[in-house]
């Protein structure tokens, strides 16, 4: 008669155990058991279950080794040009103001130059006069030489006649027709003509030499006049100040009406900067400098655009350390890629990430999943019915991944 009662108790036990197993499988047994333990005094032990973890899959991806640094956006050498006056005078007109964009050759300012215009006109007149003198010498000098040459030809004709007369008188003297004095006169006439010819020839040579010397001297005077006018024109050109480079007006220190005085150094009244010629000076800690190499890729942000990344590469690693507050850093110069470079301004603070290496297609787990016990590293993994600890070998760390 007790068989049905025993069967009922057995069935209840089977159902209870099945319920316990279902709770354990779904990870709900631990809260129920904790509540049951709370009904009894004494030491209670909590064992972690599925509900105590957030599980993420293990994946493969590229892991990058990075070096973090800070730096400053700076101007390259030659990107900042201070423009001043090379002559003294009053600043008549200033054509630019701070923030203006100028191109190379654009007029920046003009300085009073009426006195320079007058001197240029004076030296131009001097040059014209010297050229006229040179022209006169070249025209009149040959005329004098030609006159002497004509006299020489006449003397040559006379000497030819004198030779014939001497020969005739010598023949007549032999016949006794003329006296000895007539022959002597003819001979003397021939000697005089020869002396005159020699004299005229020397005069011609002297005039030719004198003409060449006069021409050279006058050429020198013309060249001097040209040099004088070029000098004055150069001084006049300094009165117009132009931009030597493309850039933006960053500073204006002199206003219209003020007097500038040029001395050993030209007074600066406008400063131009070329915002396309900028770079980043990064300060890398001594512990990381060994990982840095030229041509490594770099990304950085600036406080003005915190969500925008700018691309660059390492151009130069300077050997001299910069020590500040007992911290040793090394300057690393970054070449900025042209894209979006117009957004940057000098002296902006840069937050820099240098990619120093990459491991491709490696297993990656979240950093929070890594546990340590002594020298052992492991992660908790979920199987179908229980949790297990899996030993892992750590490598590089990239953000929240390892």
């Amino acid at each position: 008669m007790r068989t049905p009662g025993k069967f009922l108790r057995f069935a209840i036990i089977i159902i209870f155990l099945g319920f316990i197993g279902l709770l354990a499988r779904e990870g709900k047994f631990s809260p129920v058991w904790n509540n049951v333990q709370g009904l009894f005094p004494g030491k209670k032990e909590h064992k972690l279950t599925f509900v105590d973890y957030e599980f993420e899959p293990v994946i493969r991806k590229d892991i990058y080794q990075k070096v973090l640094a800070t730096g400053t956006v700076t101007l390259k050498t030659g990107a900042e040009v201070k423009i001043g006056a090379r002559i003294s005078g009053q600043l008549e007109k200033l054509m630019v103001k701070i923030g203006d964009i100028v191109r190379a050759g654009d007029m920046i300012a003009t300085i009073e130059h009426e006195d320079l215009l007058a001197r240029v006109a004076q030296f131009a007149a001097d040059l014209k006069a010297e050229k006229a003198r040179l022209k006169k010498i070249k025209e009149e000098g040959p005329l004098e030489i030609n006159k002497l040459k004509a006299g020489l030809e006449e003397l040559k004709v006379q000497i030819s006649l004198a030779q014939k007369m001497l020969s005739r008188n010598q023949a007549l003297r032999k016949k006794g027709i003329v006296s000895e004095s007539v022959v002597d006169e003819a001979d003397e006439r021939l000697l005089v003509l020869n002396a005159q010819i020699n004299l005229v020839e020397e005069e011609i040579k002297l005039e030719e030499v004198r003409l060449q010397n006069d021409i050279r001297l006058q050429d020198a005077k013309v060249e001097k006049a040209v040099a004088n006018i070029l000098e004055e024109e150069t001084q006049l050109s300094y009165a117009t100040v132009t931009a030597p480079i493309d850039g933006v007006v960053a500073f204006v220190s002199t206003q219209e009406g003020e007097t500038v005085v040029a001395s050993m150094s030209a007074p600066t009244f406008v400063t131009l900067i070329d915002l396309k010629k900028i770079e980043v000076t990064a300060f890398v800690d001594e512990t990381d400098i060994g990982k840095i190499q030229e041509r490594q890729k770099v990304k950085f942000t600036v406080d003005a655009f915190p969500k925008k990344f700018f691309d660059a590469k390492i151009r130069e690693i300077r050997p001299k350390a910069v020590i500040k507050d007992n911290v040793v850093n090394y300057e690393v110069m970054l070449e900025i890629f042209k894209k979006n470079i117009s957004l940057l301004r000098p002296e902006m603070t840069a937050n820099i990430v240098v990619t120093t290496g990459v491991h491709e297609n490696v297993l990656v787990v979240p950093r929070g999943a890594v546990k340590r016990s002594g020298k052992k590293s492991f992660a908790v993994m979920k199987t179908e019915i229980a949790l297990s600890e899996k030993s892992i070998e750590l490598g590089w760390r990239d953000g929240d991944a390892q």
Side-chain angles (χ1 to χ4, degrees), residues 78-85 93-97 100-110 237-250 269-274 277:
E80 180 179 6
V81 177
K82 296 180 179 180
I83 302 175
K93 192 171 183 180
L94 184 65
M95 286 79 167
V96 296
K97 61 182 182 299
D100 285 353
I101 298 175
V102 297
R103 302 294 180 189
D106 288 352
M107 187 179 297
I108 299 294
T110 57
S237 68
Y238 294 157
T240 302
V241 182
T242 59
I245 63 170
D246 297 344
V248 178
V249 179
F269 52 85
V270 174
T271 300
L272 294 182
I273 58 175
D274 187 351
K277 296 180 180 180

Side-chain angles (χ1 to χ4, degrees), residues 146-159 197 200 204:
N146 291 336
K147 182 178 179 181
L148 292 173
K149 288 182 177 180
L152 178 63
E153 293 298 323
E154 182 180 355
L155 290 174
K156 289 181 178 179
V157 172
Q158 291 180 12
I159 202 171
I197 287 176
V200 172
I204 291 174

Side-chain angles (χ1 to χ4, degrees), residues 97-356:
K97 61 182 182 299
I98 294 177
D100 285 353
I101 298 175
V102 297
R103 302 294 180 189
D106 288 352
M107 187 179 297
I108 299 294
T110 57
I111 301 173
E112 61 177 355
H113 51 278
E114 287 77 8
D115 58 333
L116 295 176
L117 289 173
R119 289 178 64 83
V120 169
Q122 176 187 345
F123 282 112
D126 292 344
L127 175 61
K128 186 176 181 180
E130 296 297 345
K131 286 184 176 180
R133 294 189 187 96
L134 177 62
K135 182 179 180 181
K136 180 180 179 181
I137 291 173
K138 288 183 176 180
E139 289 177 351
E140 293 183 356
L143 293 177
E144 186 66 25
I145 294 174
N146 291 336
K147 182 178 179 181
L148 292 173
K149 288 182 177 180
L152 178 63
E153 293 298 323
E154 182 180 355
L155 290 174
K156 289 181 178 179
V157 172
Q158 291 180 12
I159 202 171
S160 177
L161 294 175
Q163 288 175 344
K164 291 180 180 178
M165 181 63 68
L166 177 61
S167 298
R168 183 181 303 111
N169 288 335
Q170 288 175 344
L172 293 174
R173 174 73 183 89
K174 290 178 181 180
K175 295 179 180 180
I177 298 176
V178 296
S179 64
E180 185 70 30
S181 61
V182 173
V183 175
D184 293 338
E185 289 178 358
D187 188 27
E188 180 183 1
R189 173 65 177 166
L190 181 61
L191 292 175
V192 171
L193 289 176
N194 280 322
Q196 290 178 344
I197 287 176
N198 292 333
L199 179 61
V200 172
E201 288 178 344
E202 292 299 324
E203 288 180 350
I204 291 174
K205 291 180 181 179
L206 181 61
E207 286 297 324
E208 288 176 343
V209 172
R210 183 183 294 115
L211 175 61
Q212 295 300 320
N213 289 337
D214 290 344
I215 291 175
R216 282 195 292 267
L217 179 60
Q218 195 59 36
D219 278 334
K221 291 181 179 180
V222 171
E223 290 176 358
K224 182 180 179 181
V226 171
N228 288 337
I229 194 171
L230 287 177
E231 181 181 2
E232 290 303 319
E233 288 177 345
T234 302
Q235 291 293 320
L236 180 61
S237 68
Y238 294 157
T240 302
V241 182
T242 59
I245 63 170
D246 297 344
V248 178
V249 179
F251 184 69
V252 176
S253 60
T254 306
Q255 300 301 323
E256 291 182 3
E258 295 183 4
T259 300
V260 293
V261 179
S263 56
M264 294 298 294
S265 59
T268 299
F269 52 85
V270 174
T271 300
L272 294 182
I273 58 175
D274 187 351
L275 295 179
K276 295 179 181 179
K277 296 180 180 180
I278 57 177
E279 59 190 358
V280 174
T281 302
F283 300 96
V284 179
D285 191 89
E286 60 177 329
T287 58
D288 295 323
I289 195 64
K291 305 173 187 176
I292 302 298
Q293 297 179 4
E294 292 183 3
R295 306 186 68 82
Q296 285 177 335
K297 294 182 179 179
V298 180
K299 288 185 178 293
F300 68 93
T301 62
V302 293
D303 294 342
F305 306 99
K307 296 184 179 180
K308 191 172 192 62
F309 285 93
F310 297 87
D311 295 318
K313 65 179 180 180
I314 295 177
R315 188 187 75 240
E316 178 186 359
I317 304 171
R318 295 185 174 175
K320 186 176 180 180
V322 177
I323 303 175
K324 185 177 181 180
D325 297 331
N326 294 325
V327 178
V328 180
N329 290 312
Y330 289 87
E331 289 183 339
V332 177
M333 310 308 296
L334 309 182
E335 185 74 25
I336 306 172
F337 294 161
K338 297 300 181 182
K339 185 178 180 181
N340 299 323
I341 195 173
S342 59
L343 300 176
L344 300 174
R345 293 293 182 271
E347 306 306 325
M348 283 184 170
T349 300
N351 304 302
I352 302 160
V353 179
V354 183
T355 301
T356 59

